[in-house]
């Protein structure tokens, strides 16, 4: 179908989800009350704001992920060509991966992979 | 009988296309009519698929726990999921007062749209793909990683502590396991030398990669199944929606049809992940062939290609559903340890092994 398939899928996805939600709005009974709109928490009133601070660990993992994800993007063109390049391609990727692996070991040693 | 054997999805699709082009003179109009037909067919495929998966999930759960599962509505409880859908449609889609209303309503739409977009390069049957894009594998891993935006958006905008924690956990989990998924996809790309889905399927004409690729490909298949189970947030990696700790994680505040959209996206993602695994490792729509057994191979060719594809996909779906009732849920630190200290180094070494194998031509 070619690239117009992307537009089709986009339209189908939006139409289906928005349409479904709107149809249910038409069918469903709705009533408003003050308690109903409160955040769902075991029944006791919520203390403070719900947009709380979260663990810095998530941020650390996101940083390490970024390094390796860029590595992965570099590896796609290499993977397509490596059968034609042969041994040189293998040696280069071993060096490339070794450097990255050192990075992982450094992060490991520094305790970035430990959950606090 | 002869006529029946020659009918395939691709011939039906091209037949409709030719008929539309010949009857409708305006090119743009013909194209848009074709798009509408394709869109309706897509929905007619996806919605029953989600029903079947929802039914299958409960029946597999019943089977694993030695009970019947749903057996009241319809024959063998097969209409239970339809009844549930009707219930979800009739329910009120509540929006909490404190929430960010725009993002709250946008999140389910994003979830559905991203998993719809990933469907494009999947080869459902012989010559039957929505779009045979030449960077298929890269496209899949690029678009499927957008799902995390929908999850983070849902968790943040609901104005609920459980939702926020669930979304953060799921964000960390999805980005971590993406690396292992990517590396095991790359190992097949190395062997095939192409990112195109149809090329990858055609390269398995003489045998599926899981058979031809010796132990390294089996390792990357196992890593792919584990990591993609984590990526679609299914048990034992369902920390994002761990019922006992976080009520329902990032979709705690969602109700009615908006919640149904998350469920739909989860099932479509389950299908996509299994379809990708089936295409890359188990030969997609390629029939099962054994070397030079001409008669055996000929019998296998009689089974339609779409049935081969769906059979393999549902086999992997069944494995992933079994995980849920076989393994206990991991803690968040165990989850990240598993990825960063075990799966990632193993898959890096495995990629190099596959490369050596591909260059030396050691695979069959």
């Amino acid at each position: 179908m070619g690239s117009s398939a992307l537009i089709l899928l986009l339209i189908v996805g939006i139409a289906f989800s928005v349409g479904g939600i709107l149809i249910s709005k038409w069918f469903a009974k709705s009533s408003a009350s003050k308690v109903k709109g409160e955040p769902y928490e075991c029944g006791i009133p919520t203390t403070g704001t719900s947009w709380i601070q979260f663990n810095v660990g998530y941020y650390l993992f996101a940083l390490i992920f970024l390094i390796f994800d860029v590595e992965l993007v570099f590896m796609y063109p290499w993977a397509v060509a490596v059968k034609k390049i042969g041994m040189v391609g293998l040696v280069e990727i071993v060096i490339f991966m070794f450097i990255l692996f050192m990075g992982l070991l450094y992060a490991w040693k520094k305790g970035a992979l430990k959950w606090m | 009988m002869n006529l029946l054997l020659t009918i395939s999805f691709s011939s039906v699709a091209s037949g409709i296309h030719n008929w539309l082009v010949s009857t409708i003179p305006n090119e743009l109009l013909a194209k848009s009519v074709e798009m509408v037909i394709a869109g309706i067919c897509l929905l007619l495929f996806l919605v029953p698929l989600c029903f079947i998966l929802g039914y299958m999930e409960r029946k597999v759960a019943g089977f694993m726990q030695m009970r019947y599962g749903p057996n009241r509505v319809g024959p063998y409880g097969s209409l239970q999921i339809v009844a549930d859908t009707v219930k979800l449609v009739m329910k009120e889609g509540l929006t909490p007062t404190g929430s960010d209303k725009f993002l709250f309503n946008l999140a389910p739409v994003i979830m559905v749209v991203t998993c719809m977009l990933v469907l494009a390069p999947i080869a459902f049957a012989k010559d039957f793909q929505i779009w045979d894009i030449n960077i298929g594998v890269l496209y899949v891993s690029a678009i499927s990683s957008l799902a995390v935006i929908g999850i983070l958006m849902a968790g943040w905008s609901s104005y609920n502590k459980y939702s926020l924690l669930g979304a953060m956990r799921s964000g960390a989990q999805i980005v971590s396991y993406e690396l292992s998924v990517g590396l095991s996809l790359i190992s097949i790309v190395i062997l095939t030398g192409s990112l195109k889905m149809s090329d990858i399927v055609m390269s398995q004409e003489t045998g599926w990669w899981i058979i031809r690729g010796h132990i390294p490909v089996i390792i990357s298949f196992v890593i792919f199944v584990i990591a993609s189970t984590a990526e679609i947030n299914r048990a034992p990696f369902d920390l994002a929606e761990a019922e006992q700790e976080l009520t329902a994680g990032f979709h705690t505040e969602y109700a009615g049809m908006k919640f149904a959209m998350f469920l739909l996206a989860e099932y479509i993602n389950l299908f996509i992940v299994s379809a990708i695994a089936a295409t890359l490792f188990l030969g997609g729509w390629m029939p099962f062939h054994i070397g030079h057994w001409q008669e055996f191979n000929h019998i296998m060719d009689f089974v339609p290609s779409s049935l081969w594809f769906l059979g393999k996909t549902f086999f992997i779906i069944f494995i992933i559903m079994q995980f849920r009732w076989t393994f206990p849920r991991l803690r968040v630190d165990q989850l990240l340890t598993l990825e960063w200290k075990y799966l990632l180094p193993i898959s890096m070494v495995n990629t190099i092994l596959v490369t050596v194998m591909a260059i030396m031509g050691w695979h069959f």
Side-chain angles (χ1 to χ4, degrees), chain A residues 1-2 6 8-9 16 20 24 28 30 36-37 39-40 42 47 51 54 58 61 65 76 83 86 108 115, chain B residues 35 42 89-92 97 130 139 141 156 160-162 168-169 175 191 253 257 264 333 340-341 359:
Chain A
M1 271 190 90
L6 280 193
L8 169 75
L9 288 168
F16 181 68
S24 98
S30 79
K36 211 172 168 184
Y40 175 82
C42 315
T47 43
W51 283 323
F54 46 84
Y58 296 113
F61 278 100
F65 157 74
Y76 274 101
K83 249 185 162 175
W108 195 331
W115 190 255
Chain B
M35 294 258 278
L42 198 68
V89 172
M90 305 298 265
K91 269 191 139 186
E92 184 188 350
T97 4
I130 297 173
Y139 174 86
S141 61
W156 176 258
N160 184 322
K161 283 165 193 161
Y162 292 134
M168 279 302 162
R169 279 185 182 185
V175 297
L191 286 168
E253 293 287 358
M257 215 50 195
L264 185 97
D333 62 323
W340 290 98
K341 296 187 183 169
I359 290 172

Side-chain angles (χ1 to χ4, degrees), chain B residues 11-259:
Chain B
S11 65
V12 171
S14 58
I16 291 175
H17 174 79
N18 291 335
W19 180 73
L20 278 175
V21 169
S22 61
T23 45
I24 302 176
N26 190 345
E27 199 183 323
L28 193 71
L29 191 66
K31 185 127 191 152
S32 25
V33 170
E34 198 186 351
M35 294 258 278
V36 170
I37 293 174
I40 291 169
C41 289
L42 198 68
L43 283 182
L44 284 182
F45 170 69
L46 284 179
V47 175
L49 178 81
C50 291
F51 283 178
I52 290 169
L53 287 180
Y55 176 66
M56 185 178 159
E57 169 124 84
R58 290 165 182 207
K59 275 293 182 191
V60 170
F63 168 68
M64 295 293 286
Q65 297 169 345
M66 292 172 81
R67 55 184 175 82
Y68 287 120
N71 64 351
R72 286 286 179 272
V73 192
Y76 297 99
S78 55
L79 296 178
Q80 180 68 52
I81 201 85
V82 179
D84 285 351
T85 312
V86 171
K87 184 201 78 177
L88 282 173
V89 172
M90 305 298 265
K91 269 191 139 186
E92 184 188 350
L94 187 74
T95 311
T97 4
S99 66
D100 187 333
K101 290 197 175 53
F102 176 67
L103 291 184
F104 187 82
N105 291 316
L106 188 64
V109 178
I110 284 191
M111 292 294 285
V112 172
V113 168
T114 47
C115 68
M116 285 273 180
L117 283 176
V118 188
L119 278 172
I122 290 171
F124 291 100
K126 194 176 183 183
D127 302 326
F128 190 72
Q129 262 170 294
I130 297 173
W131 182 20
D132 192 9
I133 181 173
N134 55 0
I135 50 162
V137 177
L138 180 62
Y139 174 86
V140 166
S141 61
I143 302 288
S144 61
S145 63
L146 286 178
V148 70
I149 295 175
I151 290 178
L152 284 176
M153 207 181 256
W156 176 258
S157 63
S158 335
Y159 194 66
N160 184 322
K161 283 165 193 161
Y162 292 134
S163 300
L164 182 60
L165 283 175
M168 279 302 162
R169 279 185 182 185
S170 137
Q173 176 184 336
I174 290 179
V175 297
S176 300
Y177 280 81
E178 215 169 279
L179 301 172
S180 294
V181 168
L183 280 170
S184 34
L185 291 178
I186 275 178
S187 66
I188 293 299
V189 174
I190 290 167
L191 286 168
T192 319
S194 173
L195 292 165
K196 208 171 174 174
M197 283 291 180
S198 57
D199 283 352
I200 290 175
V201 176
M202 286 314 285
S203 73
Q204 310 183 55
E205 204 168 5
T206 48
W208 307 344
W209 278 123
I210 198 162
I211 301 167
R212 282 166 67 198
H214 300 293
I215 294 166
V217 174
I218 295 175
I219 294 174
S220 55
F221 176 68
V222 172
I223 288 177
F224 183 83
V225 171
I226 296 173
S228 51
T229 311
E231 200 158 341
I232 54 176
N233 281 327
R234 283 189 65 88
F237 305 104
D238 62 342
L239 286 157
E241 44 200 273
E243 295 98 347
Q244 293 86 347
E245 306 161 28
L246 297 174
T247 50
F250 59 88
H251 51 59
T252 305
E253 293 287 358
Y254 284 88
M257 215 50 195
K258 289 174 205 163
F259 172 70

